[in-house]
Amino acid sequence: LIKQKRGPARPAAFRAGCAVAMEAVRILQTIGARPRRTIRLALWTGEEQDYFGSLGYVEKHFGDPKTMTLQPEHAKLSVYFNLDNGSGRIRGVNLQGNEAVRTIFDTWLRPFNYIGATTLTTLNTGGTDHLSFDRVGLPGFQFIQDEVEYDSMTHHTNLDSYERLQPNDMMKNATIAAAFAYLTANRDEKLPRNPLPVPATGRGSTQ
């Protein structure tokens, strides 16, 4: 479903994603949703240490990006959604070059256009845990969010406290996350994938 960093020393912006992800699951449980497939919640640690948590999980369950040796579970995962930019409102999704999902996500975002969630960009975005999935050819997407004070004041500073959170935006984010998770789980087919990457050990080599 969605990830966010966790840990006893994590500031409020990081924990915002944990709260949103858990609220998304609570919403689905409250309305009695019965998805056809499993929705799994992931709360990673070690992203700042080169994706220690998510990469370890991917290598154990899905495959090794160094060799592209894949595990059986690789064929079963539909998608991984990531929320990692604090409590700013979701404005859309980075498609990571996967244009095949554009029309699907456009339909899913349409009910939320009125709150500003309208953007789908083919651009790749880095620096967070969806890359661990992307590196083994699994669809991994980061939601686009308002930066608020993420880069200018609070991120990685002692000012990143709970007073900086945007509760109303977090509630909207949880609703969007719940919708995306539920709609994914109820599709007849898995979401489209990009071609498998070249093994990391072979990148840059000459033929």
Side-chain angles (χ1 to χ4, degrees), residues 18-192:
C18 294
V20 167
M22 291 188 290
E23 176 65 5
V25 174
R26 188 198 67 80
I27 289 170
L28 294 176
Q29 291 177 330
T30 299
I31 65 174
R34 294 293 183 267
R36 293 163 59 189
R37 296 180 179 84
T38 300
I39 297 173
R40 183 168 293 174
L41 176 65
L43 306 177
W44 307 122
T45 189
E47 186 249 64
E48 303 289 349
Q49 292 74 43
D50 202 19
Y51 319 115
F52 181 80
S54 61
L55 182 57
Y57 183 87
V58 165
E59 289 178 341
K60 180 178 179 179
H61 292 277
F62 302 118
D64 185 346
K66 299 184 184 70
T67 64
M68 286 305 297
T69 302
L70 304 180
Q71 303 290 342
E73 290 182 66
H74 187 279
K76 298 179 181 179
L77 184 76
S78 181
V79 68
Y80 170 77
F81 294 117
N82 201 72
L83 189 71
D84 187 29
N85 287 324
S87 63
R89 186 182 302 187
I90 289 175
R91 298 297 183 177
V93 187
N94 288 293
L95 300 183
Q96 295 297 125
N98 188 346
E99 279 295 320
V101 301
R102 180 180 290 275
T103 56
I104 299 168
F105 287 0
D106 180 66
T107 301
W108 293 358
L109 275 182
R110 206 165 296 157
F112 305 106
N113 286 174
Y114 79 102
I115 56 173
T118 60
T119 300
L120 295 172
T121 173
T122 194
L123 295 177
N124 299 331
T125 184
T128 189
D129 289 290
H130 69 289
L131 293 180
S132 296
F133 293 79
D134 192 60
R135 286 170 180 168
V136 293
L138 292 170
F141 303 102
Q142 165 70 17
F143 287 107
I144 301 167
Q145 295 174 258
D146 285 341
E147 293 186 359
V148 194
E149 301 168 326
Y150 189 79
D151 287 325
S152 62
M153 178 177 290
T154 61
H155 182 49
H156 288 180
T157 77
N158 59 3
L159 298 177
D160 197 358
S161 58
Y162 287 100
E163 304 89 71
R164 303 289 181 182
L165 296 178
Q166 310 294 315
N168 289 334
D169 287 344
M170 291 172 66
M171 287 187 280
K172 295 178 176 69
N173 292 350
T175 304
I176 294 173
F180 268 61
Y182 182 75
L183 290 165
T184 300
N186 276 351
R187 277 178 54 83
D188 290 334
E189 300 175 346
K190 297 189 297 293
L191 286 175

